[in-house]
Amino acid sequence: MNKLFTPGPVEVVPEVLKQMAKPMIHHRGKEFAELLTNCVEGLKKLMYTENNVFISTSSSTGLMEAAIRNCVKDRCLNIANGAFGERWHEITVANGKKADLLQIEWGKGVMPDLVDKKLNENEYDTVTLVHNETSTAVCNPIYEISEVIKNHDVCFLVDAVSSMGGIKIEVDKLGIDVCLFGSQKALALPPGLSACSVSEKAMERAKTVPGRGFYFDFLVFQKYWLKKQTPTTPALSQMNALNYQLNRIFKEGLEKRFERHKKMAETTRKWAKDNFEPFAEEKYASNTLTCVSNSKNVNVEDMISKLKQRGYQISNGYGKLKNKTFRIGHMGDITIGEVKELLNNMDEILAVI
Ligand code: PLP
């Protein structure tokens, strides 16, 4: 079995996996109400928010679609500096909404003044942003961007899929209306579950937006939350793992967890600089994964398969960056020692290929 240094799914520790084997409970009873409440309270703490938090039996893409269907009224601005930013645009268009794409070079950070300029050009009611672009390992300057967004009357939808739990995101301070993420990245849980915070502004907006669909209607989510239930059968095993893992995360301490991610990133980036070149602009390099430019033109597939023979898995570049880059995930519960062990193995492989 390979140790995963992929940018999701990531390694899940055995004690968390064990939670998935707990006997089932019924989801319309007291025990479930307690489980749901604990999960939601924990997620609020993780996200630094007092907003509604909904848990969804879907991957994160489901909640991206939910955010668009519930919040976009007339016109949306999709900001993209990578594949997942472009995915926001595809989802917006696929849901029949009017949308413009602000395309920024892959590898570069999103600059707040550009966002401001674009928002002044048209009557937008919604803006989408990917906080941490998993395709390029760019972490956008969300604190600066949010200052600009606050000057416009828009719903601010943020994909924090590969950063939540590894990088600090203070949802309320940033004025994020919908902040979404999945279980299989920095939270170090198995895939299959996602969650999002939804502000009062976004809830009010949803009331005015027709065609919210059935499965992902925020108003229905809220109606059931008031009864401490979910509208449809929840992923109980995943929620047991989430509840347990949130407690482990708080035991480590959020600040310590963010610091550990920073250290793992610094070590990996140094390795990338010594051996290749990091793909992302240095100032905006992510703390949860590193995208490495294949500046030495090595056979990436061969390197990955040799690593697998040693029991480690990393990822090739995403989409158009395949073979031109490769990505090392350093998120979740892995340690700096494990990252060093991976990099030592990569050194040994690179010495002979
Ligand atoms: N957004 C980002 C930044 C991602 O990294 C991913 C998956 O890697 C997604 C969205 C989509 O997540 P999922 O495949 O879990 O729906």
Side-chain angles (χ1 to χ4, degrees):
M1 206 109 79
N2 292 320
K3 195 179 267 189
L4 297 180
F5 289 88
T6 47
V10 302
E11 284 296 300
V12 180
V13 298
E15 60 179 294
V16 172
L17 280 177
K18 247 193 195 163
Q19 298 300 311
M20 303 275 295
K22 274 189 169 172
M24 289 302 107
I25 55 171
H26 197 260
H27 63 290
R28 302 288 179 219
K30 246 186 173 174
E31 249 181 299
F32 178 72
E34 197 178 316
L35 174 64
L36 180 63
T37 307
N38 288 341
C39 287
V40 167
E41 287 309 316
L43 289 171
K44 282 184 170 182
K45 192 170 162 188
L46 179 81
M47 301 172 82
Y48 300 84
T49 187
E50 291 303 321
N51 286 338
N52 281 305
V53 168
F54 301 130
I55 294 172
S56 168
T57 302
S58 71
S59 78
S60 303
T61 308
L63 282 182
M64 290 171 85
E65 182 143 289
I68 295 297
R69 292 188 82 124
N70 282 273
C71 296
V72 182
K73 198 164 181 197
D74 291 318
R75 190 172 208 103
C76 181
L77 176 65
N78 304 119
I79 306 168
N81 56 343
F84 293 101
E86 289 173 15
R87 181 177 293 189
W88 266 127
H89 187 60
E90 276 176 58
I91 293 172
T92 314
V93 172
N95 278 284
K97 311 277 186 175
K98 282 186 234 140
D100 295 321
L101 178 63
L102 172 57
Q103 185 73 263
I104 288 146
E105 194 185 335
W106 287 31
K108 302 270 185 261
V110 171
M111 291 300 96
D113 51 349
L114 199 59
V115 175
D116 195 36
K117 186 167 168 273
K118 193 72 194 170
L119 282 173
N120 282 324
E121 278 175 15
N122 221 323
E123 294 270 307
Y124 295 107
D125 56 56
T126 308
V127 183
T128 67
L129 178 77
V130 175
H131 174 229
N132 194 66
E133 242 310 338
T134 322
S135 58
T136 59
V138 167
C139 186
N140 285 310
I142 195 160
Y143 282 80
E144 288 88 340
I145 295 169
S146 75
E147 284 308 311
V148 163
I149 296 213
K150 280 175 191 167
N151 297 328
H152 299 267
D153 185 20
V154 290
C155 270
F156 183 26
L157 315 182
V158 175
D159 166 339
V161 173
S162 59
S163 47
M164 186 59 74
I167 301 170
K168 193 176 202 172
I169 307 167
E170 295 161 293
V171 166
D172 289 355
K173 191 169 170 184
L174 291 165
I176 301 174
D177 292 296
V178 177
C179 184
L180 65 97
F181 55 95
S183 49
Q184 80 276 22
K185 310 260 185 195
L187 284 180
L189 288 162
L193 202 69
S194 53
C196 65
S197 63
V198 182
S199 70
E200 271 316 303
K201 181 177 178 177
M203 293 303 298
E204 286 306 310
R205 171 70 64 78
K207 287 179 191 162
T208 70
V209 178
R212 297 187 301 278
F214 186 86
Y215 193 65
F216 289 120
D217 184 343
F218 287 160
L219 301 182
V220 178
F221 280 11
Q222 191 183 37
K223 181 175 146 201
Y224 278 83
W225 163 247
L226 294 174
K227 299 191 274 185
K228 302 294 172 274
Q229 291 183 7
T230 50
T232 54
T233 318
L236 291 162
S237 306
Q238 307 271 358
M239 287 179 64
N240 280 328
L242 170 66
N243 187 28
Y244 187 87
Q245 175 68 343
L246 283 167
N247 286 325
R248 284 186 78 246
I249 290 173
F250 299 136
K251 214 176 266 174
E252 178 182 12
L254 286 178
E255 294 296 342
K256 276 200 183 142
R257 191 174 178 87
F258 302 144
E259 193 53 33
R260 177 168 56 78
H261 279 78
K262 184 165 172 268
K263 288 211 175 100
M264 293 193 293
E266 283 165 358
T267 302
T268 313
R269 280 201 290 275
K270 181 175 182 314
W271 180 90
K273 269 190 210 160
D274 290 348
N275 291 278
F276 296 88
E277 281 164 24
F279 181 76
E281 205 177 337
E282 186 158 5
K283 197 169 169 200
Y284 304 113
S286 166
N287 282 350
T288 56
L289 80 151
T290 298
C291 182
V292 184
S293 281
N294 184 10
S295 52
K296 280 187 186 157
N297 218 8
V298 299
N299 184 330
V300 174
E301 280 175 5
D302 187 34
M303 180 181 70
I304 290 175
S305 94
K306 289 206 162 68
L307 257 177
K308 271 191 193 167
Q309 286 162 17
R310 291 170 176 240
Y312 303 93
Q313 188 158 356
I314 62 166
S315 287
N316 205 322
Y318 192 96
K320 67 182 184 186
L321 295 179
K322 191 170 177 195
N323 296 324
K324 293 184 183 139
T325 64
F326 57 91
R327 293 169 302 152
I328 301 172
H330 31 77
M331 62 177 96
D333 287 343
I334 56 161
T335 62
I336 186 99
E338 288 172 301
V339 170
K340 285 181 180 162
E341 181 188 301
L342 168 81
L343 299 175
N344 286 340
N345 274 277
M346 292 187 74
D347 283 339
E348 285 172 17
I349 288 167
L350 287 167
V352 292
I353 63 170

Short mmCIF file of all heavy atoms in Angstrom, two decimals, residues 75-123:
data_model
loop_
_atom_site.label_atom_id
_atom_site.label_comp_id
_atom_site.label_asym_id
_atom_site.label_seq_id
_atom_site.Cartn_x
_atom_site.Cartn_y
_atom_site.Cartn_z
N ARG A 75 -26.02 37.77 -12.67
CA ARG A 75 -24.72 37.66 -13.35
C ARG A 75 -23.61 37.38 -12.34
O ARG A 75 -23.54 38.00 -11.29
CB ARG A 75 -24.42 38.95 -14.11
CG ARG A 75 -23.25 38.84 -15.02
CD ARG A 75 -23.07 40.06 -15.94
NE ARG A 75 -22.42 39.61 -17.15
CZ ARG A 75 -23.02 39.41 -18.30
NH1 ARG A 75 -24.30 39.65 -18.42
NH2 ARG A 75 -22.34 38.98 -19.36
N CYS A 76 -22.73 36.47 -12.74
CA CYS A 76 -21.66 36.04 -11.84
C CYS A 76 -20.29 36.32 -12.46
O CYS A 76 -20.11 36.19 -13.66
CB CYS A 76 -21.82 34.53 -11.60
SG CYS A 76 -20.60 33.83 -10.49
N LEU A 77 -19.35 36.69 -11.60
CA LEU A 77 -17.95 36.81 -12.05
C LEU A 77 -17.18 35.62 -11.50
O LEU A 77 -17.12 35.42 -10.28
CB LEU A 77 -17.33 38.12 -11.54
CG LEU A 77 -15.84 38.29 -11.88
CD1 LEU A 77 -15.61 38.40 -13.38
CD2 LEU A 77 -15.25 39.51 -11.16
N ASN A 78 -16.62 34.81 -12.40
CA ASN A 78 -15.80 33.67 -11.98
C ASN A 78 -14.34 34.04 -12.17
O ASN A 78 -13.91 34.33 -13.28
CB ASN A 78 -16.11 32.43 -12.83
CG ASN A 78 -17.58 32.03 -12.83
OD1 ASN A 78 -18.23 32.01 -13.88
ND2 ASN A 78 -18.11 31.71 -11.67
N ILE A 79 -13.58 34.01 -11.09
CA ILE A 79 -12.16 34.33 -11.16
C ILE A 79 -11.39 33.02 -11.25
O ILE A 79 -11.61 32.11 -10.43
CB ILE A 79 -11.70 35.10 -9.90
CG1 ILE A 79 -12.59 36.34 -9.68
CG2 ILE A 79 -10.24 35.48 -9.99
CD1 ILE A 79 -12.41 36.98 -8.31
N ALA A 80 -10.48 32.93 -12.23
CA ALA A 80 -9.76 31.66 -12.38
C ALA A 80 -8.27 31.87 -12.63
O ALA A 80 -7.89 32.58 -13.56
CB ALA A 80 -10.35 30.84 -13.52
N ASN A 81 -7.46 31.26 -11.78
CA ASN A 81 -6.02 31.17 -12.08
C ASN A 81 -5.58 29.71 -12.02
O ASN A 81 -4.49 29.38 -11.60
CB ASN A 81 -5.18 32.07 -11.17
CG ASN A 81 -5.39 31.79 -9.70
OD1 ASN A 81 -6.37 31.17 -9.30
ND2 ASN A 81 -4.48 32.25 -8.86
N GLY A 82 -6.49 28.84 -12.47
CA GLY A 82 -6.20 27.41 -12.50
C GLY A 82 -7.46 26.63 -12.88
O GLY A 82 -8.52 27.22 -13.14
N ALA A 83 -7.33 25.30 -12.86
CA ALA A 83 -8.40 24.44 -13.36
C ALA A 83 -9.68 24.51 -12.52
O ALA A 83 -10.78 24.40 -13.04
CB ALA A 83 -7.91 23.00 -13.41
N PHE A 84 -9.53 24.67 -11.18
CA PHE A 84 -10.74 24.66 -10.36
C PHE A 84 -11.48 25.98 -10.41
O PHE A 84 -12.71 26.02 -10.30
CB PHE A 84 -10.42 24.19 -8.94
CG PHE A 84 -10.00 22.75 -8.95
CD1 PHE A 84 -8.65 22.39 -8.88
CD2 PHE A 84 -10.94 21.74 -9.11
CE1 PHE A 84 -8.26 21.06 -8.95
CE2 PHE A 84 -10.56 20.40 -9.20
CZ PHE A 84 -9.22 20.06 -9.11
N GLY A 85 -10.77 27.07 -10.68
CA GLY A 85 -11.43 28.35 -10.93
C GLY A 85 -12.24 28.25 -12.21
O GLY A 85 -13.37 28.76 -12.30
N GLU A 86 -11.67 27.58 -13.20
CA GLU A 86 -12.39 27.39 -14.47
C GLU A 86 -13.60 26.49 -14.26
O GLU A 86 -14.64 26.65 -14.91
CB GLU A 86 -11.44 26.82 -15.54
CG GLU A 86 -10.42 27.85 -15.98
CD GLU A 86 -9.34 27.31 -16.92
OE1 GLU A 86 -9.51 26.21 -17.46
OE2 GLU A 86 -8.33 28.02 -17.09
N ARG A 87 -13.46 25.56 -13.32
CA ARG A 87 -14.61 24.68 -13.04
C ARG A 87 -15.79 25.49 -12.49
O ARG A 87 -16.94 25.24 -12.85
CB ARG A 87 -14.22 23.58 -12.04
CG ARG A 87 -15.39 22.65 -11.75
CD ARG A 87 -15.06 21.51 -10.82
NE ARG A 87 -14.14 20.56 -11.43
CZ ARG A 87 -13.81 19.38 -10.90
NH1 ARG A 87 -14.36 19.00 -9.75
NH2 ARG A 87 -12.96 18.60 -11.48
N TRP A 88 -15.52 26.48 -11.65
CA TRP A 88 -16.60 27.36 -11.15
C TRP A 88 -17.36 27.94 -12.35
O TRP A 88 -18.58 28.04 -12.36
CB TRP A 88 -16.02 28.53 -10.36
CG TRP A 88 -15.87 28.47 -8.88
CD1 TRP A 88 -14.72 28.71 -8.19
CD2 TRP A 88 -16.89 28.26 -7.88
NE1 TRP A 88 -14.96 28.65 -6.84
CE2 TRP A 88 -16.27 28.37 -6.62
CE3 TRP A 88 -18.26 27.97 -7.92
CZ2 TRP A 88 -16.96 28.23 -5.42
CZ3 TRP A 88 -18.95 27.82 -6.74
CH2 TRP A 88 -18.30 27.94 -5.50
N HIS A 89 -16.59 28.38 -13.37
CA HIS A 89 -17.22 29.01 -14.54
C HIS A 89 -18.07 27.99 -15.30
O HIS A 89 -19.21 28.28 -15.67
CB HIS A 89 -16.13 29.60 -15.44
CG HIS A 89 -16.68 30.40 -16.58
ND1 HIS A 89 -17.48 31.50 -16.39
CD2 HIS A 89 -16.58 30.24 -17.93
CE1 HIS A 89 -17.83 32.00 -17.57
NE2 HIS A 89 -17.30 31.25 -18.52
N GLU A 90 -17.51 26.80 -15.49
CA GLU A 90 -18.26 25.75 -16.20
C GLU A 90 -19.57 25.45 -15.49
O GLU A 90 -20.61 25.27 -16.10
CB GLU A 90 -17.44 24.45 -16.24
CG GLU A 90 -16.43 24.36 -17.35
CD GLU A 90 -15.62 23.08 -17.23
OE1 GLU A 90 -16.21 21.99 -17.23
OE2 GLU A 90 -14.39 23.19 -17.08
N ILE A 91 -19.51 25.36 -14.16
CA ILE A 91 -20.71 25.05 -13.37
C ILE A 91 -21.73 26.18 -13.50
O ILE A 91 -22.92 25.95 -13.66
CB ILE A 91 -20.34 24.81 -11.89
CG1 ILE A 91 -19.50 23.54 -11.75
CG2 ILE A 91 -21.60 24.73 -11.01
CD1 ILE A 91 -18.92 23.31 -10.36
N THR A 92 -21.25 27.43 -13.46
CA THR A 92 -22.15 28.58 -13.54
C THR A 92 -22.88 28.57 -14.88
O THR A 92 -24.11 28.71 -14.94
CB THR A 92 -21.36 29.90 -13.35
OG1 THR A 92 -20.48 29.76 -12.24
CG2 THR A 92 -22.29 31.07 -13.09
N VAL A 93 -22.12 28.34 -15.94
CA VAL A 93 -22.70 28.34 -17.28
C VAL A 93 -23.63 27.12 -17.44
O VAL A 93 -24.74 27.23 -17.97
CB VAL A 93 -21.57 28.34 -18.35
CG1 VAL A 93 -22.14 28.13 -19.74
CG2 VAL A 93 -20.78 29.64 -18.27
N ALA A 94 -23.19 25.97 -16.93
CA ALA A 94 -24.00 24.75 -17.07
C ALA A 94 -25.34 24.88 -16.35
O ALA A 94 -26.30 24.19 -16.68
CB ALA A 94 -23.24 23.54 -16.51
N ASN A 95 -25.42 25.78 -15.37
CA ASN A 95 -26.67 26.00 -14.66
C ASN A 95 -27.49 27.14 -15.27
O ASN A 95 -28.43 27.64 -14.66
CB ASN A 95 -26.41 26.24 -13.17
CG ASN A 95 -26.22 24.92 -12.43
OD1 ASN A 95 -27.17 24.21 -12.16
ND2 ASN A 95 -24.98 24.56 -12.16
N GLY A 96 -27.10 27.52 -16.48
CA GLY A 96 -27.87 28.51 -17.23
C GLY A 96 -27.75 29.92 -16.71
O GLY A 96 -28.62 30.76 -16.98
N LYS A 97 -26.70 30.22 -15.96
CA LYS A 97 -26.53 31.57 -15.41
C LYS A 97 -25.61 32.38 -16.32
O LYS A 97 -24.69 31.83 -16.94
CB LYS A 97 -25.88 31.51 -14.02
CG LYS A 97 -26.53 30.52 -13.07
CD LYS A 97 -27.73 31.09 -12.38
CE LYS A 97 -28.26 30.13 -11.33
NZ LYS A 97 -29.35 30.69 -10.55
N LYS A 98 -25.81 33.69 -16.30
CA LYS A 98 -24.90 34.57 -17.05
C LYS A 98 -23.61 34.69 -16.24
O LYS A 98 -23.66 34.90 -15.02
CB LYS A 98 -25.53 35.95 -17.23
CG LYS A 98 -26.57 35.99 -18.33
CD LYS A 98 -27.03 37.42 -18.54
CE LYS A 98 -28.54 37.48 -18.44
NZ LYS A 98 -29.09 38.60 -17.77
N ALA A 99 -22.49 34.56 -16.94
CA ALA A 99 -21.23 34.59 -16.19
C ALA A 99 -20.08 35.08 -17.05
O ALA A 99 -20.06 34.85 -18.26
CB ALA A 99 -20.90 33.19 -15.69
N ASP A 100 -19.15 35.80 -16.43
CA ASP A 100 -17.91 36.21 -17.11
C ASP A 100 -16.75 35.55 -16.38
O ASP A 100 -16.77 35.40 -15.16
CB ASP A 100 -17.75 37.74 -17.04
CG ASP A 100 -18.84 38.44 -17.82
OD1 ASP A 100 -19.20 37.94 -18.90
OD2 ASP A 100 -19.35 39.47 -17.34
N LEU A 101 -15.75 35.21 -17.18
CA LEU A 101 -14.57 34.56 -16.62
C LEU A 101 -13.41 35.56 -16.59
O LEU A 101 -13.03 36.09 -17.63
CB LEU A 101 -14.20 33.35 -17.49
CG LEU A 101 -12.95 32.57 -17.10
CD1 LEU A 101 -13.10 31.93 -15.72
CD2 LEU A 101 -12.67 31.46 -18.14
N LEU A 102 -12.89 35.82 -15.39
CA LEU A 102 -11.68 36.64 -15.28
C LEU A 102 -10.51 35.67 -15.23
O LEU A 102 -10.27 35.02 -14.22
CB LEU A 102 -11.74 37.51 -14.01
CG LEU A 102 -10.46 38.29 -13.66
CD1 LEU A 102 -10.03 39.21 -14.79
CD2 LEU A 102 -10.66 39.09 -12.37
N GLN A 103 -9.85 35.56 -16.37
CA GLN A 103 -8.80 34.54 -16.53
C GLN A 103 -7.45 35.15 -16.16
O GLN A 103 -7.06 36.18 -16.69
CB GLN A 103 -8.84 34.08 -17.98
CG GLN A 103 -7.95 32.95 -18.37
CD GLN A 103 -8.38 31.59 -17.85
OE1 GLN A 103 -7.87 31.18 -16.83
NE2 GLN A 103 -9.26 30.90 -18.55
N ILE A 104 -6.76 34.51 -15.25
CA ILE A 104 -5.44 34.97 -14.82
C ILE A 104 -4.44 33.85 -15.10
O ILE A 104 -4.79 32.66 -14.98
CB ILE A 104 -5.49 35.35 -13.32
CG1 ILE A 104 -6.29 36.66 -13.18
CG2 ILE A 104 -4.10 35.55 -12.72
CD1 ILE A 104 -7.08 36.75 -11.94
N GLU A 105 -3.24 34.23 -15.45
CA GLU A 105 -2.22 33.23 -15.81
C GLU A 105 -2.06 32.19 -14.70
O GLU A 105 -1.96 32.55 -13.51
CB GLU A 105 -0.89 33.96 -16.03
CG GLU A 105 0.15 33.12 -16.72
CD GLU A 105 1.50 33.84 -16.81
OE1 GLU A 105 1.52 35.08 -16.80
OE2 GLU A 105 2.51 33.15 -16.86
N TRP A 106 -2.02 30.91 -15.10
CA TRP A 106 -1.83 29.83 -14.12
C TRP A 106 -0.46 29.99 -13.44
O TRP A 106 0.53 30.27 -14.12
CB TRP A 106 -1.89 28.47 -14.81
CG TRP A 106 -3.27 28.04 -15.24
CD1 TRP A 106 -4.29 28.85 -15.64
CD2 TRP A 106 -3.76 26.69 -15.32
NE1 TRP A 106 -5.40 28.09 -15.96
CE2 TRP A 106 -5.10 26.77 -15.78
CE3 TRP A 106 -3.22 25.44 -15.05
CZ2 TRP A 106 -5.89 25.64 -15.97
CZ3 TRP A 106 -4.00 24.30 -15.25
CH2 TRP A 106 -5.32 24.41 -15.69
N GLY A 107 -0.46 29.85 -12.15
CA GLY A 107 0.80 29.99 -11.39
C GLY A 107 0.92 31.34 -10.73
O GLY A 107 1.72 31.53 -9.81
N LYS A 108 0.15 32.32 -11.21
CA LYS A 108 0.18 33.66 -10.60
C LYS A 108 -0.99 33.82 -9.62
O LYS A 108 -2.03 33.19 -9.78
CB LYS A 108 0.03 34.75 -11.69
CG LYS A 108 1.09 34.68 -12.76
CD LYS A 108 2.28 35.54 -12.37
CE LYS A 108 3.33 35.61 -13.45
NZ LYS A 108 4.46 34.70 -13.27
N GLY A 109 -0.80 34.70 -8.63
CA GLY A 109 -1.87 34.98 -7.68
C GLY A 109 -2.90 35.93 -8.27
O GLY A 109 -2.60 36.67 -9.20
N VAL A 110 -4.11 35.89 -7.70
CA VAL A 110 -5.16 36.83 -8.12
C VAL A 110 -4.93 38.16 -7.41
O VAL A 110 -4.85 38.20 -6.18
CB VAL A 110 -6.56 36.26 -7.75
CG1 VAL A 110 -7.65 37.31 -7.97
CG2 VAL A 110 -6.86 34.99 -8.54
N MET A 111 -4.81 39.23 -8.19
CA MET A 111 -4.54 40.55 -7.61
C MET A 111 -5.84 41.30 -7.30
O MET A 111 -6.71 41.41 -8.16
CB MET A 111 -3.68 41.39 -8.57
CG MET A 111 -2.26 40.89 -8.75
SD MET A 111 -1.34 40.88 -7.20
CE MET A 111 -1.52 39.22 -6.65
N PRO A 112 -5.97 41.81 -6.07
CA PRO A 112 -7.22 42.45 -5.66
C PRO A 112 -7.64 43.61 -6.56
O PRO A 112 -8.83 43.75 -6.86
CB PRO A 112 -6.89 42.98 -4.25
CG PRO A 112 -5.72 42.18 -3.81
CD PRO A 112 -4.98 41.76 -5.00
N ASP A 113 -6.68 44.43 -7.04
CA ASP A 113 -7.09 45.59 -7.86
C ASP A 113 -7.73 45.15 -9.17
O ASP A 113 -8.63 45.80 -9.69
CB ASP A 113 -5.93 46.57 -8.08
CG ASP A 113 -4.68 45.88 -8.59
OD1 ASP A 113 -4.64 44.64 -8.56
OD2 ASP A 113 -3.74 46.58 -9.01
N LEU A 114 -7.29 44.00 -9.68
CA LEU A 114 -7.88 43.48 -10.91
C LEU A 114 -9.33 43.04 -10.66
O LEU A 114 -10.22 43.28 -11.48
CB LEU A 114 -7.04 42.27 -11.37
CG LEU A 114 -7.17 41.85 -12.81
CD1 LEU A 114 -6.79 42.98 -13.74
CD2 LEU A 114 -6.30 40.63 -13.09
N VAL A 115 -9.54 42.45 -9.51
CA VAL A 115 -10.90 42.02 -9.14
C VAL A 115 -11.80 43.25 -9.01
O VAL A 115 -12.92 43.28 -9.54
CB VAL A 115 -10.88 41.22 -7.80
CG1 VAL A 115 -12.29 40.88 -7.34
CG2 VAL A 115 -10.03 39.95 -7.94
N ASP A 116 -11.28 44.28 -8.36
CA ASP A 116 -12.03 45.52 -8.16
C ASP A 116 -12.42 46.13 -9.51
O ASP A 116 -13.57 46.50 -9.75
CB ASP A 116 -11.17 46.50 -7.35
CG ASP A 116 -11.98 47.64 -6.80
OD1 ASP A 116 -13.15 47.41 -6.42
OD2 ASP A 116 -11.46 48.77 -6.75
N LYS A 117 -11.45 46.18 -10.41
CA LYS A 117 -11.67 46.77 -11.74
C LYS A 117 -12.77 45.99 -12.47
O LYS A 117 -13.69 46.58 -13.02
CB LYS A 117 -10.33 46.70 -12.50
CG LYS A 117 -10.33 47.37 -13.83
CD LYS A 117 -8.89 47.54 -14.35
CE LYS A 117 -8.89 47.93 -15.80
NZ LYS A 117 -8.93 46.82 -16.74
N LYS A 118 -12.65 44.68 -12.43
CA LYS A 118 -13.61 43.83 -13.14
C LYS A 118 -15.01 43.98 -12.54
O LYS A 118 -16.01 44.03 -13.27
CB LYS A 118 -13.13 42.38 -13.05
CG LYS A 118 -13.81 41.43 -13.97
CD LYS A 118 -13.41 41.59 -15.42
CE LYS A 118 -14.38 40.84 -16.32
NZ LYS A 118 -14.19 41.15 -17.73
N LEU A 119 -15.08 44.09 -11.23
CA LEU A 119 -16.39 44.20 -10.58
C LEU A 119 -17.07 45.54 -10.92
O LEU A 119 -18.29 45.64 -10.87
CB LEU A 119 -16.25 44.05 -9.07
CG LEU A 119 -16.09 42.62 -8.57
CD1 LEU A 119 -15.79 42.60 -7.07
CD2 LEU A 119 -17.33 41.77 -8.85
N ASN A 120 -16.25 46.54 -11.27
CA ASN A 120 -16.81 47.84 -11.64
C ASN A 120 -17.32 47.85 -13.08
O ASN A 120 -18.02 48.77 -13.48
CB ASN A 120 -15.76 48.94 -11.47
CG ASN A 120 -15.61 49.31 -10.00
OD1 ASN A 120 -16.58 49.33 -9.26
ND2 ASN A 120 -14.39 49.58 -9.58
N GLU A 121 -16.94 46.83 -13.84
CA GLU A 121 -17.26 46.85 -15.27
C GLU A 121 -18.68 46.38 -15.57
O GLU A 121 -19.20 46.61 -16.63
CB GLU A 121 -16.29 45.92 -16.04
CG GLU A 121 -14.98 46.60 -16.34
CD GLU A 121 -13.97 45.64 -16.99
OE1 GLU A 121 -14.37 44.56 -17.46
OE2 GLU A 121 -12.78 46.01 -16.98
N ASN A 122 -19.27 45.64 -14.62
CA ASN A 122 -20.59 45.08 -14.91
C ASN A 122 -21.41 44.95 -13.63
O ASN A 122 -20.86 45.09 -12.54
CB ASN A 122 -20.42 43.70 -15.57
CG ASN A 122 -21.41 43.51 -16.71
OD1 ASN A 122 -22.55 43.94 -16.61
ND2 ASN A 122 -20.97 42.86 -17.77
N GLU A 123 -22.69 44.64 -13.77
CA GLU A 123 -23.56 44.50 -12.60
C GLU A 123 -23.51 43.05 -12.11
O GLU A 123 -24.37 42.25 -12.47
CB GLU A 123 -25.00 44.84 -12.99
CG GLU A 123 -25.21 46.28 -13.37
CD GLU A 123 -25.59 47.14 -12.17
OE1 GLU A 123 -26.55 46.76 -11.46
OE2 GLU A 123 -24.91 48.15 -11.93
#
